[in-house]
Amino acid sequence: MAQRTAPRHRVVIVGAGFGGLFAAKALRRADVDITLINGTAYHLFQPLLYQVATGILSEGEIAPPIREILKRQENVDVKLGWVTDVDVAAKKVLVSAPGIDYSVEYDTLIVGAGASQSYFGNDQFADHAPGMKSIDDALELRARIFGAFELADLHEDPAERERWMTFVVVGAGPTGVEMAGQIAELAHRNLPGQYKHIDPRQARVILIDAVDAVLKTFGDRLSTRALRQLHLLGVEVELETKVVGVDATGIDVDTPRGRERIASMTKMWAAGVAAPPLSRKLAAATGVKTDRAGRILVEPDCTLPGHPEIFAVGDMMALDNLPGVAQVAIQSGRHAADQIKRRLAGRETGRKFTYFDKGSMATISRFHAVASIGKVHVSGFIGWLMWLAVHLLYLVGFKNRVTAVLHWFVSFLGRGRAERVATFQQAYARAAVREYGDPFERRRVTAGPDAGK
Amino acid sequence: MAQRTAPRHRVVIVGAGFGGLFAAKALRRADVDITLINGTAYHLFQPLLYQVATGILSEGEIAPPIREILKRQENVDVKLGWVTDVDVAAKKVLVSAPGIDYSVEYDTLIVGAGASQSYFGNDQFADHAPGMKSIDDALELRARIFGAFELADLHEDPAERERWMTFVVVGAGPTGVEMAGQIAELAHRNLPGQYKHIDPRQARVILIDAVDAVLKTFGDRLSTRALRQLHLLGVEVELETKVVGVDATGIDVDTPRGRERIASMTKMWAAGVAAPPLSRKLAAATGVKTDRAGRILVEPDCTLPGHPEIFAVGDMMALDNLPGVAQVAIQSGRHAADQIKRRLAGRETGRKFTYFDKGSMATISRFHAVASIGKVHVSGFIGWLMWLAVHLLYLVGFKNRVTAVLHWFVSFLGRGRAERVATFQQAYARAAVREYGDPFERRRVTAGPDAGK
């Protein structure tokens, strides 16, 4: 652990998501000692989580070890642990790891602990509709999705079978749209011919959102195209529809037609994010305000008001209504690093963070994506090629790029899904959480690899 | 489900390990209706489990979906479920799956439910020294192994650090030798340079067995070579050493020097196998005897005495002291299929099963394996090339072969490990088992993908 007598400026980074990791990388040549603390040993490339959930990629391909990414960077010390609190007066973070609690002192602190799933006050939904924020979530959804087809095949009762063959995705942002599209592809392209008693093509995939458009932030034109493509895939899209209840066998919704119930054993939640508890703790310790989602209202330079030594980046900061996407996290992380370098060089700091919008994109099916880059709107195959290029560019690690391309090749050109394993542990972990208390509670404090998409 | 009025001969196969899967494949062109029941949706290529545990391969690469393997075979119906009992009089198997119990009638039954880990009456060891029989086991060990280095790096107390840096493998058969070799490679080749506070090369890897040689069944010459290679890798081999206790922080052993304690947080068990409970149930129902490991004492043709309609194959049968290896399972599964085809063709049955020994092999490190094929004993690089060829040949599925080769390339020529992800669920599943009862209890009844190596 860093000593008080350390000669060099000590930077502690909480979270190795897009914000924290890119901040650390940007400090590669800086004369600082960096401690990077994360709740898992890996960086998570969250935009591809849905591909782990639907059997295209293995978890290793989107979650390379932080140590391996940074192994050539001498000035960084990677530590496993959940940051439970920040002692602002003593300038240290308190950390908890399995069987050991420790603290790390900082001169400058960068907090990029990401976001966790928000059920808008209905946390009881989580048991029946897992979110899409972590590898655990993705593997649990994988087990549920493929398991649903297995169980549908066993049931002779038509109603029971239909329940198992109905998949509901809540939230029509990029994650929800991509999940719904991939489940539809599974049902129509990958799984047919593999079951004796069901036709996977009869599976229903229902995408629900309270707003009046899919991919609403992408603008009317792409939204309309995405909707059309989802319909072509056979996805039923229910807009202006609010979820009022979720239980083991179905979901209750308020639609423009009135209240309805959808019988479904497999629900997933991609509807909202909230800042982790660490955000509110930090706000309380510094007297800084948070927005409704719990994000810290930072100064224009991403520091906390009155605390120029503390930066909040990515999903944890509330600034200019910036969206919770990877690029905001990456750029704000780099901005924080840049401010630190300026400060050490004795140059003026307090520079405003300016977000350069590189655009947003979402794949809807293989060979079909929508992308908006500035005023350019692209959809279809060209959009998909752009999606492919961008994701390859940002996917961390050469090895992962090679194997991911291979798996994409197999999945998109062929009919296979390379990763369909479900473990027993996934089935029992949720029950364990109920019994033992939530191990993720700690993770939610700082989690780490949760940079939005 | 098969109807009593079904016109075709109904074959039920319990377990989609090497025995069951190859029996089903051998019946591809037979005029039968096959139901293949397995506790997981995938076939497990168990000989490579240790590579999943040590981060080389993803679980999908060694566990392809049974449905996908058999998708072109019209006469087989794949069902998810654990066979809990066999009603020999009514000729049906009773099956349990999540939320549904069902039964399937048979004219001929092939039971190939594999083996589970045996702790020789010390089941309490399992909590602290997981076995190596399933994907869950491998992922749990992966989490423990990589997690141990993370935690060692956090501890400042030398004794604590040493405990986290000491890995004990119980059992010096192929699985134990391969695990010990791979952990040593991790420590010496893959991980150095990635930690600030520990040198992974100082990790101790201790391989323990009660007998007086490693790979004893391979014969003196290969055994000696394997031992030398293990020593070169830095593995400490403790022979004629019995485990008398295993707890959270260490392991107690009776060595030729007397009783000793090894402080170690990470222990794994590769020491013994036992037939699943279904074996004893079936024996009780048919009045057939089992051997000490619970395996069914079958007739020379692999059928149960007095029950020519029931075959036991692979690890579940006790015959001629055949070893619990994949080849015995594959060949006995095919033999059962052959007998069924003969019976249907009205030809003489009751043929003795003759095992053709194709030899055995084990990798000790990259580029180094020992192999014994008949009277030919090979070790070193040539042995390793043979290992590579054989495993590629038997690894199921073209895709898996391609990506596995790629991952081997990365791991053996480079210094990477592609799959190092640990999930939270792995940490909590074991606790859940204690609380809720053992979900694996059901699995142990028939498990399926447990054909020995």
Side-chain angles (χ1 to χ4, degrees):
Chain A
M1 269 136 256
Q3 300 294 312
R4 187 167 282 278
T5 55
R8 297 217 287 183
H9 189 84
R10 298 162 303 181
V11 178
V12 168
I13 303 176
V14 179
F18 286 113
L21 182 66
F22 280 79
K25 285 179 155 209
L27 290 167
R28 188 172 56 250
R29 292 201 183 80
D31 189 30
V32 295
D33 282 324
I34 307 165
T35 305
L36 176 56
I37 306 166
N38 200 59
T40 66
Y42 51 86
H43 163 73
L44 176 60
F45 192 82
Q46 214 178 26
L48 288 174
L49 261 184
Y50 77 97
Q51 295 204 352
V52 172
T54 53
I56 297 172
L57 297 179
S58 75
E59 62 273 24
E61 285 169 318
I62 67 162
I66 303 161
R67 299 188 180 284
E68 196 142 310
I69 301 170
L70 298 173
K71 67 183 171 191
R72 285 190 188 82
Q73 187 168 338
E74 288 290 332
N75 65 350
V76 62
D77 184 6
V78 178
K79 286 187 184 298
L80 182 75
W82 298 273
V83 172
T84 52
D85 213 343
V86 180
D87 185 337
V88 178
K91 287 193 176 178
K92 63 180 182 185
V93 295
L94 310 180
V95 197
S96 194
I100 180 170
D101 292 327
Y102 62 96
S103 65
V104 187
E105 294 176 4
Y106 61 82
D107 297 309
T108 302
L109 177 66
I110 301 176
V111 186
S116 53
Q117 206 78 60
S118 167
Y119 288 84
F120 307 119
N122 294 294
D123 285 354
Q124 72 280 11
F125 291 179
D127 268 5
H128 307 294
M132 272 291 284
K133 300 302 279 179
S134 67
I135 290 285
D136 283 80
D137 290 340
L139 292 179
E140 176 162 358
L141 282 173
R142 183 200 282 177
R144 289 186 183 217
I145 292 165
F146 289 104
F149 287 101
E150 292 293 334
L151 288 163
D153 194 59
L154 289 179
H155 281 281
E156 292 180 329
D157 174 45
E160 188 80 44
R161 185 172 282 179
E162 203 182 311
R163 264 212 292 270
W164 281 109
M165 294 272 280
T166 301
F167 300 84
V168 180
V169 180
V170 181
T175 302
V177 164
E178 285 170 327
M179 273 300 289
Q182 280 306 324
I183 298 171
E185 290 235 339
L186 268 182
H188 290 276
R189 283 193 71 244
N190 305 105
L191 299 182
Q194 298 192 13
Y195 303 83
K196 281 278 171 193
H197 310 283
I198 57 166
D199 179 353
R201 285 169 296 200
Q202 289 175 355
R204 291 178 67 196
V205 183
I206 304 169
L207 179 63
I208 291 174
D209 207 308
V211 301
D212 63 354
V214 301
L215 300 179
K216 191 157 172 80
T217 56
F218 284 56
D220 283 354
R221 199 166 137 216
L222 289 185
S223 181
T224 308
R225 290 200 182 174
L227 183 65
R228 189 172 38 192
Q229 189 63 20
L230 285 166
H231 283 150
L232 282 176
L233 280 172
V235 175
E236 302 169 39
V237 181
E238 297 281 355
L239 298 170
E240 299 180 78
T241 295
K242 271 192 170 166
V243 175
V244 292
V246 185
D247 54 52
T249 59
I251 184 163
D252 296 302
V253 287
D254 272 346
T255 76
R257 303 177 296 272
R259 180 153 303 184
E260 293 180 1
R261 179 171 175 81
I262 304 167
S264 162
M265 298 302 284
T266 315
K267 289 84 62 181
M268 50 217 90
W269 194 268
V273 295
L278 181 63
S279 185
R280 288 183 203 278
K281 280 195 184 175
L282 189 56
T286 53
V288 172
K289 289 192 177 118
T290 58
D291 72 0
R292 265 179 53 198
R295 295 178 304 176
I296 294 169
L297 292 161
V298 293
E299 298 282 359
D301 68 345
C302 301
T303 61
L304 270 60
H307 287 275
E309 81 283 12
I310 306 181
F311 293 86
V313 298
D315 280 357
M316 280 193 68
M317 69 175 186
L319 180 67
D320 300 341
N321 279 317
L322 288 172
V325 298
Q327 275 301 326
V328 169
I330 291 172
Q331 293 179 30
S332 59
R334 283 179 174 155
H335 176 81
D338 187 55
Q339 292 297 295
I340 293 169
K341 286 189 279 188
R342 292 179 69 87
R343 195 172 296 165
L344 292 176
R347 290 157 71 195
E348 166 217 14
T349 58
R351 279 192 162 191
K352 180 174 163 41
F353 167 56
T354 327
Y355 173 55
F356 174 64
D357 187 357
K358 295 192 177 175
S360 34
M361 43 178 57
T363 37
I364 294 159
S365 59
R366 60 184 193 130
F367 308 146
H368 197 108
V370 293
S372 101
I373 296 115
K375 289 185 179 164
V376 183
H377 289 191
V378 187
S379 65
F381 188 62
I382 303 295
W384 187 78
L385 287 179
M386 286 171 54
W387 171 89
L388 197 69
V390 167
H391 282 76
L392 276 181
L393 194 66
Y394 280 97
L395 197 57
V396 177
F398 174 72
K399 266 183 340 230
N400 289 349
R401 281 178 202 149
V402 173
T403 59
V405 163
L406 201 76
H407 277 144
W408 286 340
F409 189 84
V410 165
S411 297
F412 297 143
L413 298 186
R415 290 177 184 275
R417 294 276 163 137
E419 299 285 341
R420 280 167 57 176
V421 168
T423 66
F424 285 85
Q425 289 165 349
Q426 284 151 18
Y428 283 83
R430 194 162 286 273
V433 168
R434 265 197 302 270
E435 192 69 16
Y436 300 108
D438 185 358
F440 303 96
E441 193 55 50
R442 303 176 98 188
R443 190 181 53 156
R444 286 212 189 95
V445 178
T446 136
D450 287 337
K453 150 182 229 170
Chain B
M1 267 134 256
Q3 301 292 313
R4 187 166 282 278
T5 55
R8 297 218 288 184
H9 190 85
R10 297 163 303 181
V11 178
V12 169
I13 303 176
V14 178
F18 287 112
L21 182 65
F22 280 79
K25 285 178 155 208
L27 289 168
R28 188 172 58 249
R29 294 203 182 80
D31 189 29
V32 294
D33 282 323
I34 306 165
T35 305
L36 177 55
I37 305 166
N38 199 58
T40 66
Y42 50 85
H43 163 73
L44 176 61
F45 192 82
Q46 215 178 24
L48 289 173
L49 261 184
Y50 76 98
Q51 296 204 351
V52 172
T54 54
I56 297 172
L57 297 179
S58 75
E59 62 273 25
E61 286 169 316
I62 67 162
I66 303 161
R67 297 188 181 285
E68 197 143 309
I69 301 169
L70 298 174
K71 67 183 168 188
R72 286 192 186 81
Q73 187 169 338
E74 288 290 332
N75 66 350
V76 62
D77 184 7
V78 178
K79 286 186 184 299
L80 182 76
W82 297 273
V83 172
T84 52
D85 211 344
V86 180
D87 185 338
V88 178
K91 286 192 175 178
K92 63 180 183 186
V93 296
L94 310 180
V95 197
S96 193
I100 180 171
D101 292 327
Y102 61 96
S103 65
V104 186
E105 294 177 4
Y106 61 83
D107 297 310
T108 302
L109 177 66
I110 301 177
V111 186
S116 53
Q117 205 78 60
S118 166
Y119 288 83
F120 308 119
N122 294 294
D123 286 353
Q124 73 279 12
F125 291 179
D127 267 5
H128 307 294
M132 272 290 283
K133 300 301 279 181
S134 68
I135 290 285
D136 282 79
D137 290 342
L139 292 179
E140 177 163 0
L141 283 172
R142 182 200 282 177
R144 289 186 182 216
I145 292 165
F146 289 103
F149 287 101
E150 292 294 333
L151 288 163
D153 194 60
L154 290 179
H155 281 281
E156 292 180 327
D157 174 47
E160 188 80 43
R161 185 171 283 178
E162 204 182 311
R163 266 212 291 270
W164 282 109
M165 296 273 279
T166 302
F167 300 84
V168 179
V169 179
V170 181
T175 302
V177 165
E178 286 170 328
M179 272 301 289
Q182 280 305 323
I183 298 172
E185 289 236 338
L186 267 183
H188 290 275
R189 282 194 72 244
N190 305 105
L191 299 182
Q194 298 192 14
Y195 302 84
K196 282 277 173 193
H197 310 283
I198 57 165
D199 180 353
R201 284 168 296 201
Q202 289 174 356
R204 291 177 69 196
V205 183
I206 304 169
L207 179 63
I208 292 175
D209 207 308
V211 302
D212 63 353
V214 301
L215 300 179
K216 192 157 172 81
T217 56
F218 285 55
D220 283 355
R221 202 166 136 216
L222 289 184
S223 180
T224 307
R225 291 200 181 173
L227 182 65
R228 190 172 36 189
Q229 188 62 20
L230 284 166
H231 283 150
L232 283 176
L233 280 171
V235 175
E236 302 170 39
V237 181
E238 297 282 355
L239 297 170
E240 299 179 77
T241 295
K242 272 192 170 167
V243 174
V244 292
V246 185
D247 54 52
T249 58
I251 185 164
D252 297 302
V253 287
D254 272 347
T255 76
R257 304 176 295 272
R259 180 153 304 185
E260 292 179 3
R261 179 171 175 81
I262 305 168
S264 162
M265 297 301 284
T266 315
K267 289 83 63 179
M268 49 216 91
W269 195 268
V273 294
L278 181 63
S279 185
R280 288 183 203 279
K281 281 196 184 175
L282 188 56
T286 52
V288 172
K289 289 193 177 118
T290 58
D291 71 0
R292 266 179 53 198
R295 296 178 304 177
I296 294 168
L297 293 161
V298 294
E299 298 283 358
D301 67 347
C302 300
T303 61
L304 270 59
H307 289 274
E309 80 285 11
I310 306 179
F311 292 86
V313 299
D315 280 357
M316 280 193 66
M317 70 174 186
L319 181 67
D320 299 342
N321 279 316
L322 288 172
V325 297
Q327 275 301 326
V328 169
I330 290 171
Q331 293 178 31
S332 58
R334 284 177 173 159
H335 176 81
D338 187 56
Q339 291 297 296
I340 292 169
K341 287 189 278 188
R342 293 179 68 89
R343 196 172 296 165
L344 292 177
R347 290 156 72 195
E348 165 216 16
T349 58
R351 278 192 162 190
K352 180 172 164 41
F353 167 57
T354 328
Y355 174 56
F356 174 65
D357 188 356
K358 295 191 176 174
S360 36
M361 44 179 54
T363 36
I364 294 158
S365 59
R366 62 186 190 127
F367 310 146
H368 197 109
V370 293
S372 100
I373 295 115
K375 288 185 179 162
V376 183
H377 288 190
V378 187
S379 65
F381 189 62
I382 303 293
W384 187 78
L385 287 179
M386 285 172 54
W387 171 88
L388 198 69
V390 166
H391 282 77
L392 277 181
L393 194 67
Y394 280 99
L395 198 56
V396 176
F398 175 71
K399 270 185 334 232
N400 290 350
R401 280 177 203 149
V402 172
T403 59
V405 163
L406 200 77
H407 278 144
W408 285 340
F409 188 84
V410 165
S411 298
F412 296 142
L413 297 185
R415 288 177 184 274
R417 294 276 162 137
E419 299 285 341
R420 278 166 60 175
V421 168
T423 67
F424 285 84
Q425 289 165 349
Q426 284 151 19
Y428 283 83
R430 194 161 286 273
V433 168
R434 264 196 303 268
E435 192 68 16
Y436 300 108
D438 185 356
F440 304 95
E441 192 54 50
R442 302 176 100 189
R443 190 181 54 154
R444 286 211 189 96
V445 178
T446 136
D450 287 338
K453 148 183 230 169

